[in-house]
Amino acid sequence: SAVISQKPSRDICQRGTSLTIQCQVDSQVTMMFWYRQQPGQSLTLIATANQGSEATYESGFVIDKFPISRPNLTFSTLTVSNMSPEDSSIYLCSVEDRDLHGYTFGSGTRLTVV
Amino acid sequence: DQQVKQNSPSLSVQEGRISILNCDYTNSMFDYFLWYKKYPAEGPTFLISISSIKDKNEDGRFTVFLNKSAKHLSLHIVPSQPGDSAVYFCAASPMRGGSEKLVFGKGTKLTVNP
């Protein structure tokens, strides 16, 4: 199955700053997915990132706040911009894993905004 | 409106006994269902899936049952082991693979007592 390296694993950031999260996959994938898990909540899809095109954002998420890059088929970044304490969450990337008939997740980035 | 519901936030079971985790969904377009396990400080790990053409799928100690008419699925773990202690997420998708996003429940924290 696919292996995803996600970093950083955690960070504490000042409000008003930005953090970029990276995900590297050990195989080429068409789409990568970015999720957020707020405390006590389910995982919520932020956007789907396709290589060579603009990311597709879910309702409630906008590109200015969560810009995404997808420069090639194995790598993507999510930036959390102009952070506020409400952005404190776990952020996860994911890819479809056809060997598993499911989706593989990165280990997550635990973000705390102070 | 939550489309995937896990109404039990926690479950405690004795080692060796059966663990039954339940999940209900409201969207009749959901066609593919997955269970994930999540340990603290790790990303969700895919466990088992089932498509709507089946009512049961088994993988070792893990069995998922799907009742489409009731819009209900359950995950059975037999026998339960202390290492199974984790948060279990139910997820659903309109179809397997591609751009169809997963919708997650809030999770059930399973504790297996030695």
Side-chain angles (χ1 to χ4, degrees):
Chain A
S1 61
V3 176
I4 302 176
S5 298
Q6 182 174 345
K7 57 183 179 182
S9 59
R10 58 176 61 228
D11 208 341
I12 300 173
C13 300
Q14 296 290 324
R15 67 175 68 203
T17 63
S18 298
L19 176 72
T20 295
I21 302 165
Q22 300 179 5
C23 273
Q24 178 77 50
V25 190
D26 68 345
S27 57
Q28 294 184 339
V29 293
T30 305
M31 284 177 284
M32 293 180 73
F33 305 90
W34 286 97
Y35 285 84
R36 179 176 76 180
Q37 185 187 12
Q38 293 178 302
Q41 301 298 313
S42 59
L43 283 77
T44 302
L45 182 66
I46 298 171
T48 302
N50 290 322
Q51 193 269 334
S53 64
E54 290 281 333
T56 303
Y57 288 81
E58 297 298 311
S59 175
F61 298 97
V62 295
I63 187 170
D64 290 346
K65 176 67 176 177
F66 298 102
I68 287 172
S69 79
R70 186 79 203 276
N72 57 53
L73 291 173
T74 64
F75 186 79
S76 179
T77 68
L78 170 78
T79 298
V80 186
S81 303
N82 188 24
M83 289 183 283
S84 66
E86 292 70 36
D87 295 320
S88 297
S89 294
I90 298 173
Y91 293 85
L92 299 125
C93 60
S94 173
V95 301
E96 188 196 3
D97 195 322
R98 295 183 187 271
D99 291 338
L100 288 180
H101 301 295
Y103 293 78
T104 295
F105 284 82
S107 53
T109 297
R110 182 178 292 272
L111 171 62
T112 302
V113 184
V114 297
Chain B
D1 178 38
Q2 248 195 308
Q3 297 186 66
V4 178
K5 298 177 184 178
Q6 293 177 256
N7 291 319
S8 298
S10 64
L11 174 68
S12 186
V13 169
Q14 209 60 31
E15 181 179 5
R17 307 295 292 267
I18 184 171
S19 295
I20 300 177
L21 297 113
N22 293 304
C23 179
D24 296 293
Y25 61 96
T26 57
N27 189 340
S28 57
M29 298 300 293
F30 286 146
D31 204 44
Y32 190 62
F33 305 89
L34 308 92
W35 283 95
Y36 282 84
K37 177 169 73 172
K38 186 180 185 299
Y39 294 118
E42 294 184 13
T45 303
F46 172 76
L47 264 180
I48 193 168
S49 63
I50 188 167
S51 108
S52 62
I53 62 173
K54 293 185 171 183
D55 55 17
K56 177 183 173 181
N57 191 23
E58 197 170 350
D59 184 1
R61 297 186 297 114
F62 301 92
T63 303
V64 56
F65 296 92
L66 175 63
N67 182 334
K68 274 203 85 174
S69 60
K71 294 191 178 69
H72 176 83
L73 64 155
S74 61
L75 174 69
H76 293 211
I77 306 173
V78 182
S80 302
Q81 300 172 354
D84 296 328
S85 297
V87 178
Y88 289 78
F89 291 96
C90 169
S93 169
M95 60 176 286
R96 189 183 88 191
S99 62
E100 298 296 336
K101 68 178 184 180
L102 294 180
V103 179
F104 284 84
K106 289 188 177 183
T108 297
K109 183 177 182 180
L110 173 66
T111 302
V112 180
N113 301 302

